[in-house]
Amino acid sequence: MANLSTNIAGLHLPNLFFNASGVCCQHEHELKQLLESDSGSLITKSATYEMREGNPSPRYVPLPAIQSSINSMGLPNEGYEYYLAYAKKYDYSNPKPLFVSLSGLSVADNKKMVEGFVAANLPCVLEINFSCPNVPGKPQLGYDMEAMESALNVLAPIIKKPFGIKLPPYFDIAHFDTAAAIFNKFDNLAYLTCINSVGNGLAIDFETETALIKPKDGFGGLGGLMVLNTALANVNAFYRRCPNKKIIGVGGVTSGKEAFLHVLAGASAVQIGTQLKEEGPKLFSRVKKELEDIMVAKGYKSLEDFRGKVKTL
Ligand code: RRO
């Protein structure tokens, strides 16, 4: 038998799979579906201080021919107090730890939300989203190294407990180096989630010659299989550079095979976005079984047996 259990931010997950924030997690009934699924954990939709409707539709479109998607949801969410109330009533005797994603539109908003959670003293884990690509006029914080460091300087001491950040994909070795050096300054920054969607792609319908989504003239975040290799590179780059932090791999997981590759690259857990959106939460039973079968076939008993052990030439 293969053991898929793992640990993130000091908490035990019965298996490494959960949803990527944004998919199946804006409302309580969706979070309930995740709880009832074979996922190993769950994370809530990124919250802002006030609730938001998000961008006009169509704002998410699957690209089935390439098992991918484009979205410009624009941070629709119920406002942080909704997720704080959910976290307060969450049953922490459940084997699935609860992760809560926060994506304030300013450091001041992130500070207020974090203070709200700290005051409640809950055993959930905070994941600060530094990488939403879809709010018009708001660049991704993760691409501004100085702003990211000053945000961490404000938030990390308030959170005190282990927490994580959701990162955009980086595409240059110098950016991996600079970002990792910043992250390594913060001891309670326990994990990095790599990657958010590849920002500002453009999908066009060949017949109608029209952009597929409405917001931002059709520009939106790319997810699914088309971002797998960018995701693996980011997971591995930070796994190598941040030895005291865990990496959560996200991007391009459609089956147990891509999850296996994420762990080989260094991931301790794996989140699934596009494929979960398309297949629904029953997906978790399938990918778990597929990864177990791969591990048995290769003779691996636990994730530690192959985590980060990608060979290079
Ligand atoms: O809501 C969104 O448009 C969104 C967010 Br906050 C994010 O972090 N990543 C993404 O692809 N979409």
Side-chain angles (χ1 to χ4, degrees):
M1 263 304 284
N3 179 355
L4 299 190
S5 72
T6 189
N7 290 287
I8 299 286
L11 297 177
H12 179 262
L13 282 66
N15 74 69
L16 74 168
F17 291 112
F18 58 127
N19 62 307
S21 174
V23 180
C24 198
C25 59
Q26 184 175 344
H27 300 105
E28 276 195 45
H29 72 268
E30 297 167 297
L31 294 161
K32 183 163 178 278
Q33 289 174 13
L34 292 174
L35 275 175
E36 289 166 359
S37 77
D38 253 339
S39 78
S41 183
L42 67 165
I43 183 166
T44 56
K45 169 69 184 171
S46 290
T48 49
Y49 191 68
E50 310 274 5
M51 71 93 75
R52 287 170 59 88
E53 295 289 348
N55 292 337
S57 294
R59 59 191 190 175
Y60 166 90
V61 172
L63 307 170
I66 49 174
Q67 292 183 75
S68 297
S69 68
I70 183 165
N71 89 84
S72 182
M73 303 298 289
L75 256 171
N77 76 92
E78 305 307 300
Y80 100 99
E81 285 179 0
Y82 178 93
Y83 304 100
L84 178 56
Y86 179 79
K88 281 181 177 168
K89 67 183 179 204
Y90 189 77
D91 176 6
Y92 292 96
S93 68
N94 190 302
K96 302 186 188 195
L98 174 65
F99 291 74
V100 173
S101 173
L102 301 177
S103 189
L105 299 179
S106 63
V107 179
D109 278 3
N110 270 332
K111 182 167 178 279
K112 282 191 287 183
M113 293 191 286
V114 160
E115 284 168 346
F117 273 88
V118 169
N121 192 25
L122 302 167
C124 60
V125 179
L126 296 181
E127 179 172 297
I128 315 294
N129 183 357
F130 282 162
S131 48
C132 174
N134 300 328
V135 180
K138 291 270 175 195
Q140 293 171 74
L141 199 71
Y143 287 141
D144 181 336
M145 298 287 169
E146 282 177 19
M148 191 160 56
E149 181 164 2
S150 49
L152 285 168
N153 269 322
V154 171
L155 301 175
I158 300 174
I159 300 173
K160 288 192 191 74
K161 290 197 309 181
F163 74 105
I165 53 178
K166 176 86 167 267
L167 296 173
Y170 298 98
F171 301 95
D172 195 290
I173 300 298
H175 296 162
F176 291 136
D177 290 343
T178 308
I182 293 169
F183 304 148
N184 284 332
K185 292 181 186 176
F186 298 93
D187 285 345
N188 65 325
L189 175 55
Y191 76 89
L192 311 171
T193 301
C194 305
I195 56 172
N196 208 317
S197 51
V198 174
N200 295 301
L202 177 62
I204 304 174
D205 183 85
F206 174 74
E207 296 300 334
T208 66
E209 305 174 11
T210 306
L212 290 187
I213 58 171
K214 179 166 175 167
K216 288 177 64 183
D217 296 327
F219 283 51
L222 306 174
L225 200 53
M226 74 158 100
V227 310
L228 173 66
N229 301 86
T230 298
L232 293 176
N234 277 260
V235 167
N236 191 244
F238 288 109
Y239 178 78
R240 290 176 187 276
R241 287 168 179 75
C242 301
N244 299 321
K245 306 198 187 299
K246 298 276 176 79
I247 313 294
I248 299 184
V250 203
V253 177
T254 67
S255 72
K257 184 174 174 186
E258 295 87 21
F260 179 80
L261 298 178
H262 267 275
V263 178
L264 264 188
S268 288
V270 168
Q271 296 175 346
I272 306 181
T274 300
Q275 189 65 31
L276 171 61
K277 173 87 179 155
E278 293 308 306
E279 191 174 334
K282 68 178 190 311
L283 143 109
F284 289 110
S285 315
R286 176 176 68 80
V287 292
K288 256 182 71 184
K289 168 87 168 57
E290 289 168 350
L291 180 56
E292 278 165 358
D293 288 350
I294 289 169
M295 287 170 63
V296 168
K298 286 177 175 273
Y300 295 131
K301 293 190 165 54
S302 72
L303 301 176
E304 290 74 52
D305 289 349
F306 61 103
R307 178 179 302 123
K309 295 198 175 150
V310 55
K311 295 173 211 157
T312 56
L313 302 176

